[in-house]
Amino acid sequence: MKKTLNLLMLTLLLVGTSCTPEETVEPTLVVNTYNLDGTWKLAEWRNAPLADSTYVYLVLDRKGTFSIYDNLSSMYPVCQTGSFTLEEDWRVGHLISGTYDHELGAWGHQYIITDLYKESMTWTAKDDATDIQKFVRVADVPEHILEAVR
């Protein structure tokens, strides 16, 4: 009887520990204009958070246009617009590049998009592996910024 009880206890212990829930890993999204569409806020640049008073909001449209709202080079909000393209490079993955409106030229880098999730993504400059930008999805650009650039 004692052996049976011990065996039953051991069985319950093993069954109880084997039923721990597995961690669910969120799958990455396919890099395309539909999954990039929306408003993103720069959360980290070069593995460091932005200073409290600075910001960059990036609005990507699935039609291939963008708007960037920032105050990095000015004490006032600035809005720059243009178009972007996506391409797949078999060596590095999905690349995004852009051209500003009003003859302001091209972006300084092409960026490799990695870790695209519903709520975040990472861009790394193709020609500078230390230029890493982490974005988080937000609902909208804050209204006070939109008002300031009008």
Side-chain angles (χ1 to χ4, degrees):
M1 178 72 172
K2 190 172 184 180
K3 275 187 172 182
T4 306
L5 187 57
N6 285 341
L7 186 59
L8 181 62
M9 293 289 268
L10 181 60
T11 303
L12 287 174
L13 180 64
L14 291 174
V15 170
T17 57
S18 67
C19 292
T20 57
E22 293 181 24
E23 290 185 35
T24 56
V25 177
E26 180 182 3
T28 57
L29 300 175
V30 173
V31 177
N32 59 38
T33 56
Y34 294 101
N35 289 331
L36 292 176
D37 186 77
T39 304
W40 301 86
K41 183 177 182 185
L42 183 62
E44 290 182 21
W45 183 50
R46 297 186 184 261
N47 294 318
L50 294 182
D52 288 338
S53 59
T54 60
Y55 57 83
V56 176
Y57 289 92
L58 172 64
V59 181
L60 299 172
D61 184 280
R62 68 181 57 142
K63 296 175 186 170
T65 62
F66 70 85
S67 299
I68 299 173
Y69 299 85
D70 73 86
N71 68 346
L72 296 178
S73 60
S74 171
M75 62 191 289
Y76 302 106
V78 176
C79 177
Q80 298 178 36
T81 60
S83 59
F84 71 92
T85 58
L86 287 176
E87 64 181 87
E88 188 169 358
D89 182 324
W90 64 271
R91 293 166 294 198
V92 295
H94 291 88
L95 295 170
I96 188 168
S97 57
T99 305
Y100 294 103
D101 289 336
H102 313 295
E103 300 181 24
L104 294 176
W107 290 354
H109 304 280
Q110 282 187 304
Y111 294 94
I112 304 164
I113 300 175
T114 56
D115 300 328
L116 175 60
Y117 297 99
K118 185 178 178 183
E119 300 300 325
S120 64
M121 66 178 164
T122 303
W123 290 14
T124 305
K126 182 180 177 186
D127 59 346
D128 181 1
T130 65
D131 186 351
I132 301 169
Q133 301 177 27
K134 294 187 180 179
F135 292 90
V136 294
R137 192 180 294 272
V138 294
D140 291 305
V141 176
E143 191 61 36
H144 71 278
I145 295 172
L146 294 174
E147 287 295 323
V149 298
R150 287 188 188 143

